[in-house]
Amino acid sequence: MYFQIHFVLLVSRQGKVRLTKWYSPYTQKERSKVIRELSGVILNRGPKLCNFIEWRGYKVVYKRYASLYFCMCIDEADNELEVLEIIHHYVEILDRYFGSVCELDLIFNFHKAYYILDELLIAGELQESSKKTVARIISAQDQLVEAAKEEASSISNIIAQATK
Amino acid sequence: MNSIFSGTRLRDMIRSIRACKTAAEERGVVRKECADIRASINENDPHDRHRNLAKLMFIHMLGYPTHFGQMECLKLIASPGFPEKRIGYLGLMLLLDERQEVLMLVTNSLKQDLNHTNQYVVGLALCALGNICSAEMARDLAPEVERLIQFRDPNIRKKAALCSTRIVRKVPDLAENFVNAASSLLKEKHHGVLITGVQLCYELCTISEEALEYFRKKCTEGLIKTLRDITNSAYQPEYDVAGITDPFLHIRLLKLLRVLGHGDADASDLMTDILAQVATKTESNKNAGNAVLYECVETIMAIEDTSSLRVLAINILGRFLSNRDNNIRYVALNMLMKAIAFDDQAVQRHRVTILECVKDPDASIRKRALELVSLLVNENNVKQLTKELIDYLEISDEDFKEDLSAKICSIVEKFSPEKIWYIDQMLKVLSEAGKFVKDDVWHALIVVISNASELHGYTVRALYKAVLTYSEQETLVRVAIWCIGEYGDLLVNNVGMLGIEDPITVTESDAVDVVEDAITRHNSDMTTKAMALVALLKLSSRFPSISERIKDIIVKQKGSLLLEMQQRAIEFNSIVDRHKNIRSSLVERMPVLDEATFNVRRAGSLPASVSTMAKPSVSIPNGVAAAPLVDLLDLGSDDILAAPSSSGADFLQDLLGVDLGSSEVQSGATPGPKAGADLLMDILSIGTPSPSPAQNNTSSVDLLSTAGINNNPSTALDTLSSPAPPHIATTASAGGMFDLLDGLSPSPSKEATNGPAYPPIVAYESSTLKIEFTFSKPSGNLQETNVQATFINLSPNTFTDFIFQAAVPKFLQLHLDPASSNTLPASGNITQNLKVTNSQHGKKSLVMRMRIGYKVNGKDVLEEGQINNFPRGL
């Protein structure tokens, strides 16, 4: 079966996992093994080397942004250079959303990072090439959540008032 | 009441986890949180679900088990609010995968959400379905998704398109349902929808031949137009990446054109112009542009022959190859591998650059380049390329040497124009990277050397010189000592000098030095040492003048801790010492090894059950002693099969005629059972019945009386015929060897000396096999008992590969001599001597567990039993 991206992995320089997204089926056990193996290889690579590693018949494209490594696993025949662009695309969207994103943003708002990734990739394929469109859809959904929050708080206020 | 205000609580948890100093501390915090979450789940308060799941996702990311939260995802998805659904679907995708049964429960919720009035809820459902749906779900929900491809909002259309790609991957039969919808997407203006639509078409084309035909006919021109528009479009800030308008769309269009053009000349023809335009006009100073060029090159190479385009493509790759960016060079190497298929010459032009890449500091690039180089090699350039690679081998990183040397070896083997060149190159590789070379490589080298009879002298001299410098390269040493053993006389006498050689003076003693060095070096492994020992035996005949020195070296190995070495040393010493008359014929040069058989076997990597070498045609002058001796040395013979520890017998051993394991065949079953016995002994020691004190008393009395009777006659016998079991502590089988070598009758009958004190027993009896034990005591040692076991075949069939194994508790020591034969004819019998030493003599009586293995008509039979009826006092 053909997938462009088998999984996405974000690891910090200390080897902490910040985000994982699996588009091909991997068991929990395989997942932790993959993470361990790959972070070992990637974190130990020198700075000036190319951004691709050949791994178990696949290719892993990775790029470091500040203290975070963004990795995507693809098939041997896929376009590595494009995947680098996809990674950069994702980082730019995160950057816009959080306003110069840093690792802490992704730790405390990890679910936001996932929501954004879900607007970018589905089934391991690219969904949207416009950063603006992604930002618009995310903010529309965030507003829906905010509205629900407000509604809930106003209801709770009414209840609080009534039961005083 | 804080479902939506849970941010603080989630934050608190993340903070406290981050504050942990140790992994144990972190585990503690997580355990406590998980306990709280479980408790909260049990209370089933809908307001906490949101927060619980968020926490669980974080915990999951840290690698802790979170399966207990799976049902919470389903509940959140089923709840009406958008925030709950959003986090519920996220949890579903994170905590579950398509193989979990729980996933089936969500199908109904998904169906409802796909029909939801809020388009963002529909979007969530499509995203989840696209990321984790199973085949069953794909079947159930395909109609909904198909309908959503036509949805009014582009956000839903693009999600539905990608969701469909997953559905058709999971259930290829559904492909035809999506063809029409997919082709409608290709007319879209919205880039997101267009990208996903092109992707869906690509997917359908790879799955279904009909879909491919359909798109080829209906859509090729439209796609070309779209690509042209986007290539020529004015600056669009929304889609611009480094001066290219939407490289992602470019790449997907090129990819789809590739499948449409492949195998169809007309379609290929249509796209020539636009491909040329993309190939020439795309900016190549940024990654985005190069990504497009890369895809374009790939398409050009896949579609039907348009040679002018291919020149263009190869030129682009040439530019890539000289790029300073490692990424670009990497993909260039990757693509050139494909390009070789249709334009070898063009790729050959870049040979020098590619060779440079083999020496790159980047492992990924080196690996690619090495693969490519091995494809570039042909008869004409093999010498030059090999030289470059071998030169590099000298300076390359240690961890690259293994790959590199393996590649060089395979290149050299495949394209070598002549034997002398092959041998030269292999020597260089072994000298530089001998420790990394696999066994089959140096085995092959020995086969080639053996076949190149005119080069024997040259090879052994070259190896001698090499091994002086590179004595730490194990495989080089092995090949060298093999050759010195075989062709030592050629080395010393400078026989068969080639014009290119400088004459060297090597004395016999120098040659032996090399072998001695190999056998005494502490880090030589067993194989090397064994080979050295055989070489020494051979040299003792080739260099009669220093055979005393050689003998000394062999004798030293009698003290080796390696059982086989010790055993061989004893045998070889005996040959050197006492059998000078047959020695020279014994150690004649190996016959030429059969290359064809070796190659067949190497290709199939068959187990070494069949000997690859022709048996040496040794003419033995004295027939009597010769038969066992020949067998002893020509151990490639087929009867190794059953010997327990020789299963790993490898080619080398056959090659050398020193199948170390096969001595077991000669000696019946000795080393095998011994190893087994050690193991069994431990097991047995627990369950051994401890005899009562009363028994002990009587047995000691018995013993005293019998010892007296036994004493004299057996001493007499010992001195007269220097009988079978010589007292060698570590190996029982060595005794057997001695017998064979010395031509003594193996088991002098001891019945007479036994006296009536120990009546024979029937140790074991089954319907097919009976075992009788008779006992005798050697003089002077009360603890020892000699047991002669007689195995009687009660069946009408012949037993082959007969092996008797025995195990005793720890207080006993057991030595097994070889059996008189390993074949037990119908109604016939064989005998085997055992020596038991009872360290608790007088306190405990003998007990033994045994196992008998043999083959009847090729079928393995195993019998087991315990012997408790030993006469008392042994």
Side-chain angles (χ1 to χ4, degrees):
Chain A
M1 198 160 38
Y2 177 87
F3 279 93
Q4 181 168 26
I5 295 165
H6 295 271
F7 57 81
V8 178
L9 188 64
L10 261 69
V11 273
S12 74
R13 221 161 40 135
Q14 287 78 33
K16 295 264 184 213
V17 180
R18 296 300 176 215
L19 180 144
T20 56
K21 187 90 182 173
W22 308 86
Y23 296 104
S24 299
Y26 289 84
T27 63
Q28 276 316 326
K29 225 175 168 179
E30 287 165 346
R31 290 181 186 185
S32 29
K33 196 163 167 246
V34 166
I35 293 171
R36 236 188 355 259
E37 244 176 63
L38 276 182
S39 43
V41 179
I42 290 171
L43 298 181
N44 287 323
R45 265 174 78 85
K48 290 251 168 75
L49 307 182
C50 72
N51 296 75
F52 319 126
I53 44 178
E54 292 173 24
W55 171 82
R56 294 205 209 161
Y58 297 105
K59 272 182 194 148
V60 176
V61 178
Y62 72 95
K63 189 156 187 193
R64 182 176 161 183
Y65 289 88
S67 58
L68 273 183
Y69 287 86
F70 288 69
C71 321
M72 292 187 180
C73 174
I74 54 171
D75 279 329
E76 288 235 295
D78 281 325
N79 188 331
E80 305 89 345
L81 299 179
E82 192 212 356
V83 176
L84 270 182
E85 282 304 315
I86 294 180
I87 291 177
H88 190 69
H89 194 52
Y90 180 44
V91 174
E92 282 192 324
I93 297 171
L94 288 173
D95 203 52
R96 262 185 218 195
Y97 183 82
F98 288 105
S100 81
V101 66
C102 69
E103 193 183 339
L104 279 181
D105 290 324
L106 299 187
I107 294 172
F108 286 101
N109 295 297
F110 67 94
H111 49 296
K112 299 279 176 61
Y114 279 104
Y115 293 143
I116 293 172
L117 186 61
D118 282 341
E119 291 302 331
L120 197 66
L121 300 175
I122 287 182
E125 303 290 349
L126 186 76
Q127 175 189 175
E128 181 57 67
S129 56
S130 156
K131 298 183 262 288
K132 218 166 102 190
T133 309
V134 175
R136 190 168 45 75
I137 294 170
I138 287 287
S139 82
Q141 297 182 70
D142 283 351
Q143 274 165 21
L144 273 181
V145 174
E146 285 303 316
K149 260 191 203 177
E150 268 168 36
E151 198 182 321
S153 72
S154 64
I155 291 172
S156 67
N157 281 342
I158 293 166
I159 295 171
Q161 299 266 310
T163 53
K164 217 176 237 177
Chain B
M1 200 58 258
N2 49 4
S3 71
I4 307 162
F5 312 107
S6 60
T8 52
R9 293 295 309 276
L10 173 64
R11 281 185 166 255
D12 291 344
M13 185 194 79
I14 296 176
R15 277 209 190 91
S16 54
I17 287 175
R18 279 172 56 76
C20 293
K21 296 270 186 300
T22 64
E25 209 180 321
E26 182 186 289
R27 278 197 295 275
V29 173
V30 169
R31 204 164 29 234
K32 190 176 162 302
E33 282 291 343
C34 283
D36 289 349
I37 294 168
R38 277 173 193 268
S40 165
I41 288 173
N42 288 339
E43 280 170 27
N44 209 10
D45 180 354
H47 297 296
D48 288 336
R49 276 194 195 123
H50 189 286
R51 188 189 58 196
N52 286 341
L53 187 57
K55 283 183 181 176
L56 273 179
M57 286 192 282
F58 191 83
I59 291 170
H60 177 86
M61 247 194 317
L62 298 175
Y64 296 93
T66 49
H67 48 273
F68 57 87
Q70 289 174 351
M71 288 310 288
E72 295 302 285
C73 297
L74 305 195
K75 288 179 189 159
L76 281 164
I77 289 170
S79 58
F82 179 77
E84 286 79 16
K85 279 187 191 293
R86 195 185 195 194
I87 193 114
Y89 277 118
L90 184 58
L92 184 80
M93 289 186 280
L94 212 59
L95 306 186
L96 278 80
D97 67 63
E98 59 176 282
R99 280 167 303 198
Q100 269 143 336
E101 300 276 313
V102 188
L103 201 57
M104 285 306 290
L105 301 175
V106 88
T107 311
N108 214 27
S109 301
L110 273 170
K111 193 164 191 156
Q112 279 171 14
D113 286 347
L114 288 175
N115 292 307
H116 204 279
T117 48
N118 183 336
Q119 63 138 317
Y120 293 107
V121 173
V122 180
L124 289 176
L126 280 172
C127 178
L129 192 62
N131 283 343
I132 60 165
C133 84
S134 61
E136 290 87 351
M137 291 167 78
R139 246 179 242 285
D140 289 346
L141 300 172
E144 263 75 20
V145 177
E146 195 191 322
R147 187 175 48 75
L148 288 170
I149 293 180
Q150 327 273 355
F151 197 80
R152 62 191 147 72
D153 191 286
N155 177 35
I156 298 305
R157 289 206 296 277
K158 71 185 187 194
K159 285 190 166 69
L162 285 188
C163 195
S164 311
T165 63
R166 171 136 186 154
I167 288 173
V168 294
R169 277 173 201 161
K170 288 278 162 200
V171 193
D173 318 349
L174 293 173
E176 56 183 293
N177 301 1
F178 288 93
V179 171
N180 281 323
S183 63
S184 72
L185 291 176
L186 298 181
K187 301 184 186 78
E188 292 270 354
K189 289 278 171 272
H190 185 284
H191 281 217
V193 183
L194 198 49
I195 280 182
T196 55
V198 172
Q199 184 62 45
L200 177 56
C201 292
Y202 177 82
E203 205 69 48
L204 293 169
C205 288
T206 56
I207 289 169
S208 148
E209 198 60 36
E210 287 163 38
L212 175 62
E213 275 310 311
Y214 178 85
F215 289 121
R216 194 175 271 155
K217 280 209 185 74
K218 305 264 175 179
C219 306
T220 308
E221 285 180 50
L223 286 165
I224 290 169
K225 184 176 177 303
T226 314
L227 183 56
R228 183 171 296 125
D229 289 349
I230 182 138
T231 310
N232 296 331
S233 81
Y235 175 68
Q236 285 182 291
E238 193 174 350
Y239 297 108
D240 187 79
V241 180
I244 316 262
T245 306
D246 206 340
F248 304 107
L249 181 57
H250 264 97
I251 287 170
R252 270 158 197 72
L253 286 167
L254 287 166
K255 210 158 78 176
L256 182 55
L257 287 177
R258 179 154 77 235
V259 289
L260 298 181
H262 182 73
D264 189 294
D266 294 342
S268 299
D269 221 32
L270 281 176
M271 57 188 78
T272 322
D273 285 351
I274 184 63
L275 291 178
Q277 192 193 338
V278 172
T280 46
K281 293 245 175 92
T282 309
E283 270 301 326
S284 66
N285 48 12
K286 286 277 166 48
N287 183 60
N290 285 324
V292 172
L293 279 175
Y294 178 36
E295 200 69 36
C296 186
V297 169
E298 189 133 23
T299 300
I300 290 173
M301 296 205 292
I303 65 171
E304 293 317 296
D305 188 33
T306 43
S307 31
S308 58
L309 270 183
R310 290 197 174 164
V311 173
L312 205 57
I314 299 270
N315 287 343
I316 291 174
L317 293 180
R319 278 212 314 274
F320 274 17
L321 200 57
S322 49
N323 200 304
R324 285 173 58 208
D325 184 340
N326 280 334
N327 290 339
I328 308 294
R329 282 197 294 149
Y330 176 89
V331 297
L333 292 168
N334 213 6
M335 287 303 295
L336 284 170
M337 281 179 70
K338 297 181 191 166
I340 284 184
F342 59 80
D343 195 350
D344 185 55
Q345 282 312 307
V347 183
Q348 293 282 3
R349 276 203 297 277
H350 299 291
R351 208 166 57 208
V352 179
T353 325
I354 296 166
L355 266 172
E356 282 309 303
C357 292
V358 175
K359 303 167 189 173
D360 201 271
D362 187 332
S364 298
I365 290 186
R366 276 200 311 251
K367 197 164 168 229
R368 273 292 124 228
L370 192 57
E371 295 286 328
L372 184 54
V373 166
S374 65
L375 291 179
L376 280 177
V377 176
N378 57 33
E379 284 78 6
N380 303 322
N381 60 21
V382 62
K383 287 197 174 179
Q384 190 205 339
L385 281 173
T386 312
K387 182 177 182 310
E388 289 274 351
L389 292 177
I390 289 179
D391 287 349
Y392 179 58
L393 187 62
E394 288 169 30
I395 50 166
S396 70
D397 292 353
E398 286 287 299
D399 49 350
F400 189 49
K401 280 189 173 161
E402 187 173 348
D403 282 351
L404 186 57
S405 59
K407 248 328 170 250
I408 297 174
C409 293
S410 79
I411 291 171
V412 170
E413 275 173 37
K414 206 161 146 198
F415 294 102
S416 139
E418 66 230 352
K419 278 189 173 153
I420 183 165
W421 185 81
Y422 171 87
I423 292 171
D424 281 345
Q425 304 312 310
M426 292 304 291
L427 289 198
K428 284 185 198 159
V429 174
L430 291 185
S431 302
E432 290 303 332
K435 5 179 193 204
F436 304 104
V437 167
K438 298 263 179 334
D439 279 354
D440 61 336
V441 171
W442 66 269
H443 291 174
L445 175 60
I446 287 188
V447 174
V448 171
I449 293 174
S450 156
N451 278 283
S453 55
E454 69 291 352
L455 295 173
H456 286 163
Y458 169 78
T459 309
V460 69
R461 285 186 291 275
L463 275 164
Y464 174 79
K465 278 185 272 185
V467 84
L468 292 181
T469 324
Y470 303 100
S471 58
E472 76 287 355
Q473 305 287 1
E474 189 102 36
T475 53
L476 177 74
V477 173
R478 287 184 195 167
V479 177
I481 55 184
W482 188 86
C483 287
I484 291 174
E486 291 296 316
Y487 316 119
D489 43 339
L490 309 182
L491 170 65
V492 176
N493 304 325
N494 278 334
V495 175
M497 284 288 281
L498 302 184
I500 48 169
E501 278 184 84
D502 297 328
I504 52 167
T505 319
V506 184
T507 64
E508 298 180 340
S509 178
D510 292 339
V512 174
D513 282 346
V514 169
V515 185
E516 183 180 17
D517 189 41
I519 205 168
T520 49
R521 190 167 330 109
H522 68 279
N523 53 0
S524 293
D525 77 355
M526 164 89 170
T527 311
T528 312
K529 288 188 172 173
M531 291 178 72
L533 198 59
V534 176
L536 285 170
L537 177 66
K538 298 211 166 190
L539 289 180
S540 74
S541 157
R542 313 245 196 287
F543 304 155
S545 61
I546 55 162
S547 77
E548 272 309 304
R549 181 181 162 208
I550 293 172
K551 195 187 134 199
D552 288 345
I553 304 171
I554 293 177
V555 166
K556 272 188 207 139
Q557 292 303 316
K558 281 185 179 177
S560 168
L561 291 176
L562 300 165
L563 179 65
E564 294 297 339
M565 287 294 288
Q566 195 184 76
Q567 185 172 326
R568 292 299 160 196
I570 290 165
E571 290 162 16
F572 290 177
N573 181 39
S574 176
I575 293 172
V576 175
D577 243 6
R578 293 183 228 175
H579 298 280
K580 291 212 171 63
N581 50 342
I582 57 159
R583 186 180 64 194
S584 58
S585 41
L586 266 180
V587 300
E588 265 184 3
R589 210 158 277 164
M590 293 277 285
V592 170
L593 300 159
D594 185 5
E595 253 176 316
T597 329
F598 172 73
N599 289 336
V600 167
R601 182 148 129 203
R602 188 181 179 192
S605 61
L606 298 169
S609 57
V610 183
S611 170
T612 52
M613 65 167 196
K615 292 197 180 181
S617 49
V618 188
S619 54
I620 308 282
N622 60 347
V624 189
L629 270 173
V630 172
D631 269 348
L632 235 174
L633 292 168
D634 163 28
L635 305 151
S637 52
D638 292 351
D639 53 357
I640 326 172
L641 278 173
S645 64
S646 72
S647 52
D650 67 3
F651 180 74
L652 151 78
Q653 289 167 335
D654 292 358
L655 237 177
L656 294 168
V658 202
D659 190 346
L660 298 172
S662 64
S663 62
E664 291 146 30
V665 177
Q666 289 304 313
S667 56
T670 324
K674 192 169 184 302
D678 286 342
L679 220 138
L680 278 172
M681 243 185 260
D682 288 345
I683 302 166
L684 269 174
S685 60
I686 306 162
T688 318
S690 58
S692 67
Q695 259 182 327
N696 282 343
N697 287 338
T698 51
S699 63
S700 65
V701 174
D702 272 0
L703 185 106
L704 283 172
S705 59
T706 48
I709 302 166
N710 225 3
N711 224 341
N712 289 332
S714 74
T715 320
L717 191 88
D718 279 359
T719 43
L720 274 175
S721 62
S722 67
H727 300 270
I728 293 160
T730 49
T731 159
S733 61
M737 288 305 157
F738 254 61
D739 291 351
L740 293 171
L741 290 168
D742 292 354
L744 292 171
S745 72
S747 47
S749 159
K750 289 182 191 140
E751 250 101 325
T753 66
N754 260 342
Y758 304 109
I761 60 166
V762 174
Y764 177 82
E765 186 160 14
S766 71
S767 58
T768 51
L769 181 72
K770 184 171 159 186
I771 304 175
E772 288 175 358
F773 280 6
T774 55
F775 306 95
S776 65
K777 282 274 180 191
S779 59
N781 192 342
L782 295 177
Q783 295 189 340
E784 272 184 35
T785 308
N786 293 326
V787 181
Q788 186 180 42
T790 308
F791 306 99
I792 303 153
N793 185 350
L794 304 175
S795 78
N797 303 313
T798 301
F799 300 166
T800 57
D801 302 323
F802 186 90
I803 284 183
F804 169 77
Q805 295 175 307
V808 290
K810 273 193 176 142
F811 68 90
L812 297 175
Q813 268 192 317
L814 177 67
H815 289 284
L816 288 142
D817 284 351
S820 59
S821 164
N822 66 347
T823 308
L824 190 48
S827 319
N829 66 66
I830 52 179
T831 58
Q832 184 165 14
N833 287 327
L834 289 68
K835 187 169 69 184
V836 187
T837 309
N838 184 352
S839 62
Q840 302 267 25
H841 177 73
K843 294 185 196 137
K844 292 183 179 174
S845 49
L846 299 189
V847 61
M848 190 180 284
R849 177 163 284 180
M850 52 158 200
R851 186 156 72 179
I852 304 112
Y854 53 88
K855 285 189 176 173
V856 182
N857 301 328
K859 266 175 68 180
D860 284 314
V861 180
L862 196 68
E863 298 192 40
E864 286 180 317
Q866 184 157 345
I867 311 168
N868 292 323
N869 56 341
F870 282 99
R872 286 179 184 173
L874 283 174

